[in-house]
Amino acid sequence: MEQNSWGWSDRLSLSFEPMDDTHKEFVELCAALSEDNPATFVARLDALIVHSIAHFEQENQWMAETAFPPAGCHRQEHDAVLEVMQEVRRRVELGEADLATRLAEELPLWFEHHVDTMDNMLARFMASNPEKLADVAVTTAVNAAQSQPA
Ligand SMILES: [Fe+2]
Ligand SMILES: [Fe+2]
């Protein structure tokens, strides 16, 4: 039941706006998985999968541009969770409805842990190495994030 109240909070902010904005969208789509409406579960999961593919690709690109040292490990976490989402989607369609509830319960825990560890390290690395970023818009955003009071 606590699941229904899960949502964005400052606790999830990494003070890096482009990443926080993407994470707010993830949280919204992920929280929507706990809606009690089995008929629309797969459509809600599809929306999260589409978001996650773009979200993870963006981070993977930032890691490539900045030569982020633990990129392999971070990328693996993205690939693994996407695989879980796709596997749950397949099995829910085959009738394993209980997996929908389990995914809705476990994904917020996965995300909080991922933000605290992998994404946190990447955000800090990017903030301290803005010169490594090829994307000017992102570099500007990093500078803006750095000049903001914590
Ligand atoms: Fe992320
Ligand atoms: Fe990530």
Side-chain angles (χ1 to χ4, degrees):
M1 291 304 111
E2 206 171 295
Q3 200 55 41
N4 292 331
S5 63
W6 189 73
W8 176 262
S9 68
D10 285 347
R11 176 241 175 277
L12 290 169
S13 172
L14 296 174
S15 301
F16 177 44
E17 218 178 309
M19 201 184 264
D20 284 349
D21 288 346
T22 303
H23 286 173
K24 283 174 190 166
E25 197 179 308
F26 181 96
V27 164
E28 197 177 313
L29 294 167
C30 184
L33 291 186
S34 62
E35 266 173 42
D36 188 18
N37 184 358
T40 63
F41 176 80
V42 168
R44 282 178 279 124
L45 180 54
D46 279 345
L48 180 65
I49 289 172
V50 167
H51 159 93
S52 297
I53 289 170
H55 170 171
F56 298 158
E57 270 177 14
Q58 182 183 52
E59 288 179 12
N60 292 346
Q61 190 192 331
W62 284 334
M63 291 193 284
E65 284 174 5
T66 59
F68 179 63
C73 198
H74 191 169
R75 208 176 292 118
Q76 260 175 22
E77 279 201 15
H78 291 161
D79 292 348
V81 79
L82 255 181
E83 224 170 274
V84 169
M85 289 183 205
Q86 275 153 348
E87 175 71 2
V88 167
R89 187 199 189 282
R90 193 181 67 79
R91 288 172 60 180
V92 167
E93 282 211 306
L94 292 174
E96 292 185 64
D98 58 313
L99 285 182
T101 312
R102 274 190 52 200
L103 187 71
E105 283 169 1
E106 287 176 19
L107 265 187
L109 305 176
W110 174 85
F111 183 69
E112 288 185 0
H113 184 257
H114 186 82
V115 165
D116 289 347
T117 54
M118 295 296 165
D119 287 350
N120 185 27
M121 273 194 278
L122 177 59
R124 283 164 182 267
F125 186 75
M126 286 171 55
S128 56
N129 296 279
E131 74 286 354
K132 289 190 178 177
L133 290 167
D135 185 332
V136 175
V138 170
T139 308
T140 306
V142 171
N143 291 338
Q146 279 180 321
S147 63
Q148 268 173 17

